[in-house]
């Protein structure tokens, strides 16, 4: 998957949860990604975030701290 598409998808999820009244929006974004993204996608997202997270919204970038890294 191209990084641009992955960033767009993560930002769409973050945009949805940004509108929710919950205080743990980053945790909800991370939970969604943990539940529905395959391990390779999560690894790519975490690598992208570690490299600076270009294009990720602040909420999506914050959520990356709560995403489970797949075990190899």
């Amino acid at each position: 998957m191209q990084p641009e598409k992955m960033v767009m998808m993560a930002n769409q999820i973050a945009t949805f949860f940004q509108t929710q009244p919950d205080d743990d929006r980053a945790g909800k974004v991370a939970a969604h990604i943990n539940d529905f993204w395959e391990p390779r996608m999560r690894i790519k997202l975490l690598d992208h975030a570690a490299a600076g997270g270009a294009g990720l919204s602040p909420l999506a970038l914050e959520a990356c701290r709560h995403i489970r890294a797949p075990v190899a």
Side-chain angles (χ1 to χ4, degrees):
M1 173 178 292
Q2 296 298 321
E4 296 83 14
K5 183 169 183 173
M6 176 189 59
V7 166
M8 179 191 69
M9 291 170 60
N11 285 342
Q12 285 175 330
I13 295 164
T15 297
F16 171 78
F17 284 105
Q18 185 69 45
T19 65
Q20 303 303 302
D22 195 335
D23 288 337
D24 186 24
R25 292 180 185 99
K28 299 290 185 181
V29 173
H32 180 88
I33 291 171
N34 284 327
D35 289 345
F36 297 105
W37 285 29
E38 69 168 8
R40 291 176 295 178
M41 289 175 64
R42 293 196 322 258
I43 290 169
K44 285 185 178 186
L45 180 61
L46 292 173
D47 288 347
H48 184 75
L56 286 171
S57 71
L59 181 56
L61 194 56
E62 182 183 347
C64 287
R65 294 195 303 253
H66 304 282
I67 293 172
R68 289 188 311 268
V71 178

